Amino acid sequence: METGNSTRVSEFLLLGFSEDPELQPLIFGLFLSMYLVTVLGNLLIILAAISDSHLHMPMYFFLSNLSFVDICFTSTTIPKMLLSIQTQSKAITYTGCITQMCFFFIFVELDNFLLTVMAYDRFLAICHPLHYTAIMNPWLCGLLVLVCWILSVLHALLQSLMMLQLSFCRKLEIPHFFCERNQVVQLACSDTFLNDMVMYFASVLLGGGPLTGILYSYSKIVSSIRKISSSQGRYKAFSTCASHLSIVSLFYGTGLGVYISSSATRNSHSSATASVIYTVVTPMLNPFIYSLRNKVVKRALRRLFGGKL
């Protein structure tokens, strides 16, 4: 690693959660278990959505895409952390760090956009049921997912290019288990004003915009559900979006909680621990939320395993 006044670096050091050797096997086993559960759970959702004709609907098309993104999301950070623990090497190359940040931005934004698209799908299904099939056709579904990918990739490339403009000339230790953008920026010795402005602008536009869309959709959904005369009808209508609402609450609640807590405290290790909630725990819980709260998905999983579940 080059230090001093050099603007070129070869590697960073990911400090992780703890430097205590006795805790490393516990951390390794815990994160390996969560990663395997995340991959297996989301993979089952994808297989169920593909194999069962009852799930060949826009809602489950978006859900399978969300599951794929969640697998990729956790795969950008956890395998590298597990490898570092196994090899007892905390180093990550400069290129590897920038690449990890790029893919992290892609998949976290995809999660964000897909949850918004799923809210729009539920809005059409409940508020405009007669026109739902005509509007939410396969062409539009594919187009919406494609737009999500394009916006996410463009944003990730912008953030990565901004990071490439920074110069580093200090001790390059990142008190995190992956190359978290804010932690890396704090290590820069060059002016980070433009990076911060781009980040704040992107957070408002790409974070606040989708969240506003979700809140607007659910305000209309709640209004429509209240107009249903029978309690059974209201329950049936609400049950179709209960799983999605749970995931939205978990994703945005934990994500906002992490950044609010990280801005309120200077304890970087606490921020790293809190980040686990939305980078690992949330993708792990998504399949369980949908399979436990959705009878159609549970039936599809039973068929997938020949009725053994």
Side-chain angles (χ1 to χ4, degrees):
M1 180 170 58
E2 301 176 21
T3 56
N5 293 323
S6 176
T7 59
R8 295 180 62 84
V9 297
S10 60
E11 63 183 27
F12 295 92
L13 295 178
L14 295 173
L15 301 184
F17 299 98
S18 173
E19 298 184 28
D20 187 350
E22 295 182 357
L23 289 178
Q24 299 308 306
L26 176 62
I27 295 174
F28 182 87
L30 178 63
F31 276 85
L32 177 61
S33 301
M34 289 193 293
Y35 179 66
L36 293 177
V37 170
T38 300
V39 172
L40 180 60
N42 284 287
L43 188 60
L44 287 176
I45 293 293
I46 295 172
L47 292 175
I50 294 174
S51 62
D52 197 303
S53 59
H54 295 86
L55 299 184
H56 292 173
M57 296 187 294
M59 175 182 177
Y60 301 106
F61 170 73
F62 296 132
L63 175 60
S64 60
N65 276 273
L66 182 68
S67 294
F68 171 74
V69 169
D70 281 340
I71 292 174
C72 297
F73 187 24
T74 54
S75 297
T76 61
T77 57
I78 302 304
K80 171 57 182 173
M81 189 196 72
L82 295 176
L83 181 63
S84 296
I85 295 175
Q86 191 68 22
T87 60
Q88 297 183 352
S89 172
K90 300 176 182 179
I92 181 171
T93 64
Y94 174 78
T95 302
C97 188
I98 299 297
T99 302
Q100 187 183 64
M101 277 192 288
C102 181
F103 280 101
F104 182 86
F105 275 117
I106 289 175
F107 296 122
V108 75
E109 286 300 339
L110 273 169
D111 254 356
N112 186 27
F113 291 139
L114 285 172
L115 288 174
T116 307
V117 170
M118 293 171 75
Y120 175 65
D121 173 73
R122 291 300 84 205
F123 162 74
L124 289 178
I126 294 174
C127 301
H128 303 282
L130 298 179
H131 303 287
Y132 175 74
T133 305
I135 297 175
M136 196 57 73
N137 53 66
W139 183 86
L140 180 61
C141 292
L143 179 63
L144 288 172
V145 172
L146 178 61
V147 170
C148 291
W149 273 95
I150 292 174
L151 291 176
S152 300
V153 170
L154 290 177
H155 172 242
L157 289 177
L158 173 62
Q159 293 290 349
S160 300
L161 289 174
M162 294 298 298
M163 295 299 299
L164 289 172
Q165 306 305 312
L166 296 178
S167 300
F168 299 92
C169 53
R170 284 195 280 157
K171 192 176 182 182
L172 301 178
E173 294 182 344
I174 303 174
H176 218 289
F177 66 96
F178 67 95
C179 286
E180 201 272 331
R181 183 260 175 202
N182 293 335
Q183 298 292 339
V184 176
V185 168
Q186 290 177 14
L187 299 177
C189 59
S190 56
D191 185 21
T192 62
F193 176 78
L194 186 57
N195 292 72
D196 292 335
M197 288 300 100
V198 170
M199 187 64 188
Y200 292 144
F201 179 77
S203 298
V204 172
L205 184 64
L206 302 180
L211 180 57
T212 301
I214 291 173
L215 294 175
Y216 175 79
S217 296
Y218 272 103
S219 68
K220 293 296 183 180
I221 289 172
V222 171
S223 179
S224 296
I225 291 177
R226 290 179 62 184
K227 294 177 182 178
I228 299 175
S229 56
S230 67
S231 58
Q232 184 177 1
R234 288 195 296 269
Y235 174 79
K236 184 177 180 181
F238 180 76
S239 64
T240 63
C241 56
S243 297
H244 175 258
L245 187 58
S246 300
I247 292 176
V248 166
S249 302
L250 193 61
F251 179 79
Y252 284 100
T254 55
L256 290 173
V258 166
Y259 282 101
I260 290 173
S261 63
S262 63
S263 61
T265 178
R266 295 183 179 274
N267 190 329
S268 300
H269 284 287
S270 297
S271 177
T273 304
S275 296
V276 175
I277 300 174
Y278 82 98
T279 59
V280 183
V281 176
T282 299
M284 181 181 69
L285 292 180
N286 287 354
F288 293 99
I289 292 174
Y290 259 96
S291 61
L292 292 176
R293 299 183 65 94
N294 193 305
K295 295 180 180 179
V296 181
V297 173
K298 285 194 286 188
R299 284 198 296 267
L301 290 173
R302 290 193 189 97
R303 295 190 190 98
L304 186 63
F305 287 94
K308 295 179 180 180
L309 289 180

